[in-house]
């Protein structure tokens, strides 16, 4: 029987790259995002696979539970969960819309936590399963001008690494993907395309492939690209006040 992967944010960027990688390996797909038309197109493209489309806005409270209920009703097993949906916003914290920032926390943090909570027990019961939580290199330092976004990604990394320890001795794996700037729709949604940090953005398919390999080998934290690996390492050893200044500098215009 084919394995099944649930991918949130499957309609563009990294999520869509994951759709292609998993489909290539014969996985049945459960797609979750808002853009139903795009998900229907994916379903048609992979008509040889079992593709389920769940149109859901995960920034709305209770949406993750509805996803879980729908899958439970279908009696589907989830072998791999890819918590990928997320977005960022650039600007001074107090000037950005509060509700949009709360929605970001709901999507990047709460929905990811809830989906992990719903699907982890069945993986533990079968002693098999993999979870990929998409964080960012933003997880390694405070991010002036993207304060809430960086904080959400720090949460994702901390939460996921804690679960790795809880799961030691189990065959269930949790991996955290930490990409740096990557060419997807993220840049235009977050309004960061013209910034220094985006001047050397990586190709999204390369980032997804590195993440896929890390996930399949059960790697704990996957930082994509050698410059990003070096940046994350440097951030560990410098005072937080200095790395915050660097983060503010790279968030500025090119
Ligand atoms: N690109 C980068 O530079 C970068 C760097 C580090 C980390 N990341 C992380 O990578 C992940 C994927 O982002 P991306 O770069 O691939 O960006 P993207 O191209 O904008 O894709 C974001 C995906 O999330 C979905 N999504 C957004 N809001 C949603 C909502 N409210 N409910 C359900 N789905 C929603 C979108 O689908 P719909 O619009 O159809 O809902 C889309 O499929 C995010 O967690 C992001 O923080 C990105």
């Amino acid at each position: 029987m084919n394995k099944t992967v649930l991918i949130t944010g499957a309609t563009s960027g990294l999520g869509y790259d994951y759709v292609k990688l998993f489909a290539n390996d014969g996985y049945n797909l459960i797609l979750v995002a808002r853009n139903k038309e795009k998900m229907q197109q994916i379903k048609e493209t992979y008509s040889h696979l079992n593709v389920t489309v769940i149109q859901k806005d995960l920034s709305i409270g209770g949406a993750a539970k509805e996803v879980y209920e729908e899958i439970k009703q279908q009696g589907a097993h989830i072998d791999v969960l890819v918590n990928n949906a997320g977005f960022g916003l650039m600007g001074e914290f107090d000037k950005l819309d509060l509700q949009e920032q709360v929605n970001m926390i709901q999507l990047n943090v709460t929905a990811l936590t809830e989906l992990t909570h719903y699907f982890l027990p069945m993986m533990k019961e079968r002693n098999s399963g993999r979870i990929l939580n998409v964080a960012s290199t933003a997880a390694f330092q405070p991010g002036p001008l993207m304060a809430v976004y960086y904080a959400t990604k720090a949460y994702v990394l901390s939460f996921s690494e804690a679960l790795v320890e809880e799961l030691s001795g189990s065959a269930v794996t949790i991996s955290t993907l930490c990409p740096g700037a990557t060419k997807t729709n993220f840049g235009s949604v977050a309004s960061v395309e013209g910034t220094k940090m985006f001047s050397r953005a990586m190709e999204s398919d390369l980032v997804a492939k590195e993440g896929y390999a890390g996930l399949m080998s059960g790697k704990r934290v996957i930082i994509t690209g050698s410059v990003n690996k070096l940046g994350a390492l440097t951030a560990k050893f410098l005072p937080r006040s200095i790395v915050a200044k660097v983060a503010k500098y790279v968030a500025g215009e090119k």
Side-chain angles (χ1 to χ4, degrees), residues 9-15 32-35 56-59 84-87 107 134-136 149 153 179-182 184-186 189 198:
T11 53
S12 106
L14 290 170
V32 182
R34 293 166 302 178
N35 185 341
K56 205 60 76 182
D57 183 342
L58 291 170
S59 71
N84 161 76
F87 73 98
L107 177 65
V134 180
S136 163
Y149 177 72
K153 296 305 184 179
T182 306
T184 66
N185 282 344
F186 177 90
V189 172
F198 257 71

Side-chain angles (χ1 to χ4, degrees), residues 240-254:
R240 299 277 280 179
S241 57
I242 303 285
V243 289
K245 280 192 201 313
V246 174
K248 188 174 176 191
Y249 172 76
V250 298
E253 298 272 313
K254 271 187 263 187

Side-chain angles (χ1 to χ4, degrees), residues 2-141:
N2 286 9
K3 289 188 170 183
T4 300
V5 58
L6 187 164
I7 304 172
T8 68
T11 53
S12 106
L14 290 170
Y16 184 49
D17 285 320
Y18 281 114
V19 165
K20 291 185 262 185
L21 288 165
F22 279 100
N24 208 30
D25 280 350
Y27 278 74
N28 291 323
L29 308 166
I30 300 178
L31 313 174
V32 182
R34 293 166 302 178
N35 185 341
K36 193 169 187 179
E37 203 182 310
K38 176 71 186 181
M39 289 189 284
Q40 290 296 353
Q41 279 171 18
I42 295 172
K43 189 177 163 87
E44 280 160 32
T45 306
Y46 298 108
S47 54
H48 60 292
L49 298 171
N50 193 345
V51 181
T52 305
V53 167
I54 302 181
Q55 183 185 31
K56 205 60 76 182
D57 183 342
L58 291 170
S59 71
I60 297 172
K65 184 162 195 207
E66 287 169 14
V67 169
Y68 171 66
E69 295 293 345
E70 200 166 324
I71 291 167
K72 203 168 74 170
Q73 248 177 18
Q74 293 173 6
H77 276 324
I78 303 297
D79 298 285
V80 183
L81 168 64
V82 180
N83 273 315
N84 161 76
F87 73 98
L89 290 172
M90 162 72 79
E92 285 176 42
F93 166 69
D94 58 313
K95 294 194 179 132
L96 289 173
D97 184 79
L98 179 58
Q99 189 56 52
E100 276 189 76
Q101 296 187 84
V102 170
N103 291 350
M104 192 202 304
I105 297 170
Q106 177 72 35
L107 177 65
N108 297 7
V109 171
T110 309
L112 175 145
T113 307
E114 289 177 343
L115 289 172
T116 303
H117 193 265
Y118 291 130
F119 292 108
L120 186 56
M122 62 173 79
M123 291 181 179
K124 281 172 86 172
E125 207 172 292
R126 296 201 312 273
N127 199 29
S128 148
R130 298 192 186 281
I131 297 178
L132 182 67
N133 285 336
V134 180
S136 163
T137 48
F140 299 106
Q141 66 272 294

